[in-house]
Amino acid sequence: MWAAKQLGRPIVKAWNSIGAESFAHRSKLAGSADRISLPVAADRPRERDLAMALVEDTGFDAFDAGPLAESWRQQPGTPAYCTDLTLQELPDALATADAARSPKRRDLGLAAVQERFGAGVQPDAEYLVRLNRAISM
């Protein structure tokens, strides 16, 4: 909402809940059983529908995550963030997000990566997905 006011136009939040490697290499055809689902949040249905179609076109299942005010549910430290969930798993992950706990979980994940790999080293995508699931779900 803040960004929309600053920019003076509608904002849609999508693709923020997937890691770069999963985005680049884990897209699948529609109907695939293990296709990753991405939450899409927007205040206006027209923009949300457009973004959902684009998410589908990039090889992921789109999920209507509601208005931007609820988009904190797809931020770092929440069960929907970089956990590569399917369309069947994503609604529960969004519903169980905890605004008070998510910053702590985000910071715990960052500390675990830095402790194991050191500063400036990026672990592989599978490690990050497993770590995010262990900490956030």
Side-chain angles (χ1 to χ4, degrees):
M1 294 187 320
W2 178 86
K5 288 179 184 174
Q6 297 302 308
L7 296 172
R9 66 179 190 272
I11 299 293
V12 176
K13 196 173 195 179
W15 295 286
N16 72 300
S17 65
I18 188 168
E21 193 165 321
S22 291
F23 180 70
H25 301 291
R26 298 222 35 225
S27 64
K28 299 212 175 184
L29 294 174
S32 298
D34 58 346
R35 191 175 189 203
I36 295 171
S37 183
L38 302 179
V40 179
D43 290 334
R44 294 175 21 180
R46 179 173 182 251
E47 283 80 18
R48 186 181 307 116
D49 292 345
L50 175 60
M52 289 181 68
L54 292 170
V55 166
E56 295 282 340
D57 287 348
T58 59
F60 302 95
D61 285 328
F63 180 79
D64 184 342
L68 287 173
E70 291 297 313
S71 69
W72 63 269
R73 296 177 180 279
Q74 62 198 67
Q75 286 296 111
T78 65
Y81 184 78
C82 293
T83 50
D84 291 359
L85 301 176
T86 65
L87 188 57
Q88 292 73 35
E89 298 168 316
L90 186 57
D92 285 341
L94 291 167
T96 60
D98 184 329
R101 294 181 72 190
S102 61
K104 295 172 192 170
R105 291 174 175 171
R106 176 203 61 215
D107 294 347
L108 180 59
L110 290 172
V113 168
Q114 288 179 344
E115 187 274 330
R116 180 164 183 189
F117 297 99
V121 176
Q122 181 67 23
D124 67 68
E126 290 304 316
Y127 174 83
L128 291 174
V129 168
R130 288 191 317 271
L131 178 65
N132 284 328
R133 286 183 176 205
I135 291 171
S136 302
M137 297 183 80

